[in-house]
Amino acid sequence: MKKALVCGAGGFIGYHLVKRYKEEGYWVRGVDIKKPLFGPTHADEFFVADLRMQENVEKAVSLPFDEVCQLAANMGGIGFIATNHDAEIMHDSAKINLHMTEACRKAGVGKLLYTSSACVYPKDKQMTPLAKCPEDSAYPADPDTDYGWEKLFSERLYASYARDYGMDIRIVRLHNIFGPQGTWRGGREKAPAALCRKIAEAANGGTIEIWGNGQQTRSFLYVDECIEGMRRILAAEKGLPILNLGSKEQISINDLVELIAQVANKKIFIHNIDGPEGVKGRNSDNTLIQSTLGWAPQQPLLHGLQKLYSWIEEQVKESSL
Ligand code: NAD
């Protein structure tokens, strides 16, 4: 039986990735500083451990794993990464990645996947709502947050281990992944979850506050297609380039509110207020993933939003009981 290790298995994407590995018949160890918040893990074994500590990382990788996925990171939506959490984000995530690369080298793991982010792209290339992010536009580097700088540093760290030690390492830049089982309140939630919560809590005809003028654009990828992409990246031949994994259905934040309001069957008014809004425009350029894997995400945003909204509506109802 093949063995997989998922670091960050208590988080949103990690939870779904463990579930997928189990459906494929793997034996899975999950590791995280916390257990999943919204339901029991599907992992065969789950270590609650702080991966900033070298001995915990060495213990985590201590079996002959065929595949290791490193998702653990101190992160959140724009309301978290752009509001004075830079030092803890850089310190915690860099430390985790420094220990992971070295421990995986010593343990001789099979394949190692690192989840980077669209936040690595330079801010001056994302000044207009129509901005796209081909992989080779990451340099000359100038990410708009230190979260993005840490991801870029760690990309280079993993790439150097692949080069110098011949390790089989794959790096993927995720673009705004959303879906059920993700943080939806408390300050670390991302835009789709935050907007679904606000709309679920609002009355029909109510008004919600949106940070910035709402003209900033993003693309959002439903978690099932994210997991599918990660599995395809792991199944490909060794030596893949760094790939974007995101949707290319770009939408402004104000239009995203409209779309969720349609799903909720509510009339919602927007009040744009000052707040962190990030770069003006970002979209996943899927040219390279399509030509490399012969596959790219295709699902319409609306389909994913329907599933996310009904999950968040349920969470909001349960939390008000
Ligand atoms: P998440 O916050 O839900 O999951 C990250 C997990 O890492 C959390 O469960 C957290 O507890 C764990 N973690 C943090 N510090 C730890 C520590 N010291 N020891 C052990 N575990 C620790 O985030 P996610 O959305 O599931 O993201 C997974 C990965 O994908 C992250 O690396 C993130 O940067 C990357 N990513 C996510 C998105 C997205 O839109 N969700 C976009 C780009 C990149």
Short mmCIF file of all heavy atoms in Angstrom, two decimals, residues 96-145:
data_model
loop_
_atom_site.label_atom_id
_atom_site.label_comp_id
_atom_site.label_asym_id
_atom_site.label_seq_id
_atom_site.Cartn_x
_atom_site.Cartn_y
_atom_site.Cartn_z
N ILE A 96 9.22 26.12 9.08
CA ILE A 96 8.60 24.84 8.69
C ILE A 96 9.27 24.32 7.42
O ILE A 96 9.67 23.16 7.32
CB ILE A 96 7.07 25.01 8.46
CG1 ILE A 96 6.35 25.35 9.77
CG2 ILE A 96 6.48 23.75 7.82
CD1 ILE A 96 4.89 25.76 9.59
N ASN A 97 9.43 25.21 6.42
CA ASN A 97 9.96 24.76 5.13
C ASN A 97 11.44 24.40 5.22
O ASN A 97 11.89 23.45 4.57
CB ASN A 97 9.68 25.81 4.06
CG ASN A 97 8.19 25.84 3.73
OD1 ASN A 97 7.58 24.79 3.55
ND2 ASN A 97 7.60 27.02 3.68
N LEU A 98 12.20 25.13 6.03
CA LEU A 98 13.62 24.78 6.21
C LEU A 98 13.76 23.39 6.83
O LEU A 98 14.57 22.58 6.39
CB LEU A 98 14.31 25.84 7.09
CG LEU A 98 14.59 27.17 6.39
CD1 LEU A 98 14.85 28.29 7.39
CD2 LEU A 98 15.78 27.03 5.43
N HIS A 99 12.94 23.11 7.82
CA HIS A 99 13.00 21.78 8.46
C HIS A 99 12.49 20.69 7.51
O HIS A 99 13.03 19.59 7.45
CB HIS A 99 12.17 21.76 9.74
CG HIS A 99 12.77 22.59 10.84
ND1 HIS A 99 14.11 22.63 11.11
CD2 HIS A 99 12.18 23.43 11.74
CE1 HIS A 99 14.34 23.45 12.13
NE2 HIS A 99 13.19 23.95 12.52
N MET A 100 11.42 21.02 6.76
CA MET A 100 10.83 20.01 5.86
C MET A 100 11.81 19.58 4.78
O MET A 100 11.97 18.38 4.52
CB MET A 100 9.57 20.58 5.17
CG MET A 100 8.34 20.56 6.00
SD MET A 100 7.77 18.92 6.50
CE MET A 100 7.41 18.17 4.93
N THR A 101 12.46 20.53 4.12
CA THR A 101 13.37 20.17 3.02
C THR A 101 14.48 19.26 3.56
O THR A 101 14.78 18.22 2.97
CB THR A 101 13.98 21.44 2.39
OG1 THR A 101 14.31 22.37 3.42
CG2 THR A 101 13.03 22.08 1.40
N GLU A 102 15.06 19.64 4.68
CA GLU A 102 16.20 18.89 5.21
C GLU A 102 15.76 17.51 5.71
O GLU A 102 16.42 16.49 5.44
CB GLU A 102 16.86 19.72 6.32
CG GLU A 102 18.17 19.19 6.85
CD GLU A 102 19.27 18.97 5.80
OE1 GLU A 102 19.14 19.41 4.65
OE2 GLU A 102 20.26 18.31 6.17
N ALA A 103 14.61 17.48 6.42
CA ALA A 103 14.14 16.18 6.94
C ALA A 103 13.77 15.24 5.78
O ALA A 103 14.05 14.04 5.83
CB ALA A 103 12.95 16.39 7.87
N CYS A 104 13.16 15.77 4.73
CA CYS A 104 12.78 14.93 3.59
C CYS A 104 14.02 14.44 2.86
O CYS A 104 14.06 13.32 2.36
CB CYS A 104 11.86 15.69 2.63
SG CYS A 104 10.21 15.92 3.30
N ARG A 105 15.04 15.28 2.78
CA ARG A 105 16.30 14.84 2.15
C ARG A 105 16.89 13.67 2.94
O ARG A 105 17.21 12.64 2.37
CB ARG A 105 17.31 16.00 2.12
CG ARG A 105 18.64 15.62 1.48
CD ARG A 105 19.67 16.73 1.59
NE ARG A 105 20.17 16.91 2.94
CZ ARG A 105 21.12 16.17 3.52
NH1 ARG A 105 21.65 15.17 2.86
NH2 ARG A 105 21.51 16.43 4.75
N LYS A 106 16.96 13.86 4.27
CA LYS A 106 17.58 12.81 5.10
C LYS A 106 16.75 11.52 5.04
O LYS A 106 17.31 10.43 5.06
CB LYS A 106 17.66 13.28 6.55
CG LYS A 106 18.77 14.28 6.81
CD LYS A 106 18.93 14.43 8.32
CE LYS A 106 19.65 15.67 8.72
NZ LYS A 106 19.24 16.18 10.02
N ALA A 107 15.43 11.66 5.01
CA ALA A 107 14.56 10.47 5.03
C ALA A 107 14.47 9.82 3.65
O ALA A 107 13.94 8.71 3.52
CB ALA A 107 13.17 10.85 5.53
N GLY A 108 14.90 10.54 2.60
CA GLY A 108 14.84 9.98 1.24
C GLY A 108 13.41 9.77 0.76
O GLY A 108 13.11 8.73 0.18
N VAL A 109 12.53 10.77 1.01
CA VAL A 109 11.13 10.60 0.60
C VAL A 109 11.04 10.51 -0.92
O VAL A 109 11.94 10.99 -1.63
CB VAL A 109 10.22 11.77 1.09
CG1 VAL A 109 10.23 11.89 2.59
CG2 VAL A 109 10.58 13.08 0.42
N GLY A 110 9.96 9.92 -1.41
CA GLY A 110 9.75 9.78 -2.85
C GLY A 110 9.53 11.14 -3.49
O GLY A 110 10.48 11.88 -3.77
N LYS A 111 8.26 11.50 -3.65
CA LYS A 111 7.95 12.81 -4.26
C LYS A 111 7.55 13.80 -3.17
O LYS A 111 6.88 13.41 -2.21
CB LYS A 111 6.78 12.66 -5.22
CG LYS A 111 7.06 11.74 -6.38
CD LYS A 111 5.79 11.52 -7.19
CE LYS A 111 6.02 10.52 -8.30
NZ LYS A 111 4.77 10.21 -9.02
N LEU A 112 7.93 15.05 -3.36
CA LEU A 112 7.60 16.10 -2.39
C LEU A 112 6.91 17.24 -3.13
O LEU A 112 7.45 17.75 -4.11
CB LEU A 112 8.90 16.56 -1.72
CG LEU A 112 8.89 17.76 -0.79
CD1 LEU A 112 7.88 17.60 0.34
CD2 LEU A 112 10.29 17.97 -0.19
N LEU A 113 5.70 17.60 -2.66
CA LEU A 113 4.95 18.70 -3.28
C LEU A 113 4.91 19.88 -2.33
O LEU A 113 4.54 19.73 -1.15
CB LEU A 113 3.52 18.25 -3.59
CG LEU A 113 2.61 19.34 -4.17
CD1 LEU A 113 2.93 19.62 -5.64
CD2 LEU A 113 1.14 18.96 -4.04
N TYR A 114 5.24 21.06 -2.83
CA TYR A 114 5.17 22.28 -2.02
C TYR A 114 4.11 23.22 -2.59
O TYR A 114 4.11 23.51 -3.80
CB TYR A 114 6.54 22.98 -1.99
CG TYR A 114 6.45 24.34 -1.34
CD1 TYR A 114 6.04 24.46 -0.02
CD2 TYR A 114 6.73 25.51 -2.05
CE1 TYR A 114 5.91 25.70 0.59
CE2 TYR A 114 6.63 26.75 -1.44
CZ TYR A 114 6.20 26.84 -0.13
OH TYR A 114 6.07 28.08 0.47
N THR A 115 3.22 23.72 -1.73
CA THR A 115 2.17 24.62 -2.19
C THR A 115 2.59 26.07 -2.00
O THR A 115 2.56 26.61 -0.90
CB THR A 115 0.84 24.38 -1.45
OG1 THR A 115 1.09 24.33 -0.03
CG2 THR A 115 0.18 23.10 -1.90
N SER A 116 2.97 26.69 -3.11
CA SER A 116 3.26 28.11 -3.12
C SER A 116 1.97 28.85 -3.46
O SER A 116 0.87 28.27 -3.37
CB SER A 116 4.37 28.40 -4.14
OG SER A 116 4.68 29.77 -4.13
N SER A 117 2.09 30.12 -3.86
CA SER A 117 0.88 30.94 -3.99
C SER A 117 1.01 31.94 -5.12
O SER A 117 2.11 32.39 -5.48
CB SER A 117 0.69 31.69 -2.67
OG SER A 117 -0.23 32.74 -2.83
N ALA A 118 -0.16 32.36 -5.63
CA ALA A 118 -0.21 33.45 -6.61
C ALA A 118 0.30 34.75 -6.01
O ALA A 118 0.59 35.70 -6.75
CB ALA A 118 -1.66 33.64 -7.06
N CYS A 119 0.41 34.79 -4.68
CA CYS A 119 0.92 36.02 -4.02
C CYS A 119 2.39 36.27 -4.31
O CYS A 119 2.93 37.29 -3.89
CB CYS A 119 0.69 35.94 -2.51
SG CYS A 119 -1.05 36.03 -2.09
N VAL A 120 3.08 35.35 -5.01
CA VAL A 120 4.50 35.60 -5.35
C VAL A 120 4.62 36.63 -6.48
O VAL A 120 5.70 37.20 -6.66
CB VAL A 120 5.26 34.31 -5.79
CG1 VAL A 120 5.26 33.29 -4.67
CG2 VAL A 120 4.71 33.74 -7.08
N TYR A 121 3.55 36.86 -7.25
CA TYR A 121 3.72 37.70 -8.45
C TYR A 121 3.92 39.17 -8.08
O TYR A 121 3.37 39.64 -7.08
CB TYR A 121 2.52 37.50 -9.39
CG TYR A 121 2.55 36.12 -10.02
CD1 TYR A 121 1.64 35.14 -9.65
CD2 TYR A 121 3.54 35.81 -10.93
CE1 TYR A 121 1.71 33.87 -10.19
CE2 TYR A 121 3.61 34.52 -11.48
CZ TYR A 121 2.70 33.57 -11.12
OH TYR A 121 2.79 32.31 -11.65
N PRO A 122 4.73 39.88 -8.88
CA PRO A 122 5.08 41.26 -8.53
C PRO A 122 3.89 42.20 -8.58
O PRO A 122 3.03 42.08 -9.47
CB PRO A 122 6.11 41.66 -9.60
CG PRO A 122 6.31 40.50 -10.48
CD PRO A 122 5.36 39.42 -10.14
N LYS A 123 3.86 43.14 -7.64
CA LYS A 123 2.69 44.02 -7.57
C LYS A 123 2.58 44.94 -8.77
O LYS A 123 1.48 45.25 -9.21
CB LYS A 123 2.66 44.81 -6.26
CG LYS A 123 3.89 45.63 -5.92
CD LYS A 123 3.65 46.37 -4.60
CE LYS A 123 4.84 47.19 -4.17
NZ LYS A 123 5.88 46.44 -3.46
N ASP A 124 3.73 45.32 -9.38
CA ASP A 124 3.61 46.26 -10.51
C ASP A 124 3.02 45.60 -11.75
O ASP A 124 2.60 46.28 -12.69
CB ASP A 124 4.96 46.92 -10.83
CG ASP A 124 5.99 45.93 -11.36
OD1 ASP A 124 5.73 44.72 -11.26
OD2 ASP A 124 7.04 46.36 -11.86
N LYS A 125 2.95 44.25 -11.78
CA LYS A 125 2.32 43.57 -12.93
C LYS A 125 0.83 43.35 -12.66
O LYS A 125 0.13 42.73 -13.44
CB LYS A 125 2.99 42.21 -13.16
CG LYS A 125 4.48 42.32 -13.46
CD LYS A 125 4.83 41.67 -14.79
CE LYS A 125 6.27 41.86 -15.18
NZ LYS A 125 7.21 41.05 -14.44
N GLN A 126 0.36 43.83 -11.49
CA GLN A 126 -1.04 43.56 -11.12
C GLN A 126 -1.75 44.86 -10.77
O GLN A 126 -2.54 44.92 -9.83
CB GLN A 126 -1.07 42.59 -9.94
CG GLN A 126 -0.38 41.28 -10.28
CD GLN A 126 -0.28 40.36 -9.09
OE1 GLN A 126 -1.21 39.66 -8.74
NE2 GLN A 126 0.86 40.40 -8.43
N MET A 127 -1.43 45.89 -11.56
CA MET A 127 -1.99 47.22 -11.29
C MET A 127 -3.33 47.43 -11.99
O MET A 127 -4.01 48.42 -11.74
CB MET A 127 -1.02 48.31 -11.76
CG MET A 127 0.33 48.28 -11.06
SD MET A 127 0.19 48.59 -9.31
CE MET A 127 0.08 50.36 -9.34
N THR A 128 -3.69 46.54 -12.91
CA THR A 128 -4.96 46.74 -13.61
C THR A 128 -5.85 45.53 -13.37
O THR A 128 -5.36 44.41 -13.15
CB THR A 128 -4.75 46.86 -15.14
OG1 THR A 128 -4.31 45.57 -15.61
CG2 THR A 128 -3.73 47.92 -15.49
N PRO A 129 -7.17 45.72 -13.44
CA PRO A 129 -8.08 44.60 -13.17
C PRO A 129 -7.91 43.42 -14.12
O PRO A 129 -8.29 42.31 -13.80
CB PRO A 129 -9.47 45.22 -13.33
CG PRO A 129 -9.27 46.68 -13.12
CD PRO A 129 -7.89 46.99 -13.61
N LEU A 130 -7.32 43.65 -15.32
CA LEU A 130 -7.20 42.54 -16.28
C LEU A 130 -5.88 41.78 -16.18
O LEU A 130 -5.57 40.93 -17.01
CB LEU A 130 -7.40 43.06 -17.71
CG LEU A 130 -8.84 43.45 -18.02
CD1 LEU A 130 -8.96 44.02 -19.43
CD2 LEU A 130 -9.79 42.25 -17.87
N ALA A 131 -5.09 42.08 -15.14
CA ALA A 131 -3.76 41.47 -15.02
C ALA A 131 -3.82 39.95 -14.99
O ALA A 131 -4.70 39.37 -14.34
CB ALA A 131 -3.07 41.98 -13.76
N LYS A 132 -2.88 39.30 -15.69
CA LYS A 132 -2.74 37.84 -15.68
C LYS A 132 -1.38 37.50 -15.11
O LYS A 132 -0.50 38.35 -15.08
CB LYS A 132 -2.82 37.29 -17.11
CG LYS A 132 -4.22 37.18 -17.65
CD LYS A 132 -4.20 36.87 -19.12
CE LYS A 132 -4.26 35.39 -19.38
NZ LYS A 132 -4.40 35.07 -20.81
N CYS A 133 -1.19 36.27 -14.69
CA CYS A 133 0.06 35.90 -14.04
C CYS A 133 0.68 34.67 -14.69
O CYS A 133 0.57 33.56 -14.16
CB CYS A 133 -0.18 35.59 -12.57
SG CYS A 133 -0.94 36.92 -11.67
N PRO A 134 1.38 34.81 -15.83
CA PRO A 134 2.14 33.65 -16.33
C PRO A 134 3.29 33.36 -15.36
O PRO A 134 3.80 34.28 -14.69
CB PRO A 134 2.67 34.13 -17.69
CG PRO A 134 2.57 35.61 -17.67
CD PRO A 134 1.52 36.00 -16.67
N GLU A 135 3.69 32.10 -15.26
CA GLU A 135 4.68 31.68 -14.26
C GLU A 135 5.98 32.47 -14.36
O GLU A 135 6.58 32.81 -13.34
CB GLU A 135 4.97 30.18 -14.39
CG GLU A 135 3.85 29.26 -13.92
CD GLU A 135 2.73 29.05 -14.92
OE1 GLU A 135 2.67 29.76 -15.96
OE2 GLU A 135 1.89 28.15 -14.68
N ASP A 136 6.42 32.76 -15.60
CA ASP A 136 7.73 33.42 -15.72
C ASP A 136 7.69 34.91 -15.39
O ASP A 136 8.71 35.59 -15.45
CB ASP A 136 8.33 33.17 -17.11
CG ASP A 136 7.45 33.72 -18.22
OD1 ASP A 136 6.42 34.36 -17.91
OD2 ASP A 136 7.80 33.52 -19.41
N SER A 137 6.51 35.42 -15.02
CA SER A 137 6.45 36.85 -14.66
C SER A 137 6.74 37.08 -13.17
O SER A 137 6.66 38.21 -12.69
CB SER A 137 5.07 37.44 -15.03
OG SER A 137 4.07 36.86 -14.21
N ALA A 138 7.11 36.02 -12.44
CA ALA A 138 7.40 36.19 -11.00
C ALA A 138 8.69 36.98 -10.77
O ALA A 138 8.87 37.57 -9.70
CB ALA A 138 7.50 34.82 -10.32
N TYR A 139 9.56 37.02 -11.78
CA TYR A 139 10.82 37.77 -11.66
C TYR A 139 10.90 38.83 -12.75
O TYR A 139 10.41 38.57 -13.84
CB TYR A 139 12.02 36.81 -11.78
CG TYR A 139 12.08 35.85 -10.62
CD1 TYR A 139 11.50 34.59 -10.72
CD2 TYR A 139 12.69 36.21 -9.42
CE1 TYR A 139 11.53 33.70 -9.63
CE2 TYR A 139 12.73 35.34 -8.34
CZ TYR A 139 12.15 34.09 -8.46
OH TYR A 139 12.20 33.23 -7.38
N PRO A 140 11.49 40.02 -12.48
CA PRO A 140 12.09 40.45 -11.22
C PRO A 140 11.02 40.52 -10.13
O PRO A 140 9.91 40.99 -10.37
CB PRO A 140 12.64 41.85 -11.51
CG PRO A 140 12.43 42.09 -12.97
CD PRO A 140 11.55 41.04 -13.52
N ALA A 141 11.39 40.04 -8.93
CA ALA A 141 10.41 39.81 -7.88
C ALA A 141 10.05 41.09 -7.12
O ALA A 141 10.92 41.90 -6.84
CB ALA A 141 10.96 38.78 -6.91
N ASP A 142 8.77 41.21 -6.81
CA ASP A 142 8.32 42.29 -5.92
C ASP A 142 6.89 42.00 -5.44
O ASP A 142 5.95 42.75 -5.73
CB ASP A 142 8.37 43.64 -6.65
CG ASP A 142 8.18 44.80 -5.68
OD1 ASP A 142 8.32 44.59 -4.46
OD2 ASP A 142 7.87 45.91 -6.14
N PRO A 143 6.71 40.87 -4.71
CA PRO A 143 5.36 40.56 -4.20
C PRO A 143 4.84 41.68 -3.31
O PRO A 143 5.64 42.41 -2.71
CB PRO A 143 5.59 39.28 -3.38
CG PRO A 143 6.88 38.71 -3.82
CD PRO A 143 7.71 39.87 -4.27
N ASP A 144 3.52 41.82 -3.21
CA ASP A 144 2.98 42.94 -2.44
C ASP A 144 2.86 42.64 -0.94
O ASP A 144 2.53 43.54 -0.18
CB ASP A 144 1.63 43.41 -3.01
CG ASP A 144 0.49 42.50 -2.67
OD1 ASP A 144 0.69 41.27 -2.70
OD2 ASP A 144 -0.62 42.99 -2.38
N THR A 145 3.11 41.39 -0.52
CA THR A 145 3.06 41.08 0.92
C THR A 145 4.28 40.24 1.30
O THR A 145 4.87 39.56 0.45
CB THR A 145 1.81 40.24 1.28
OG1 THR A 145 1.86 39.03 0.51
CG2 THR A 145 0.51 40.98 1.03
#
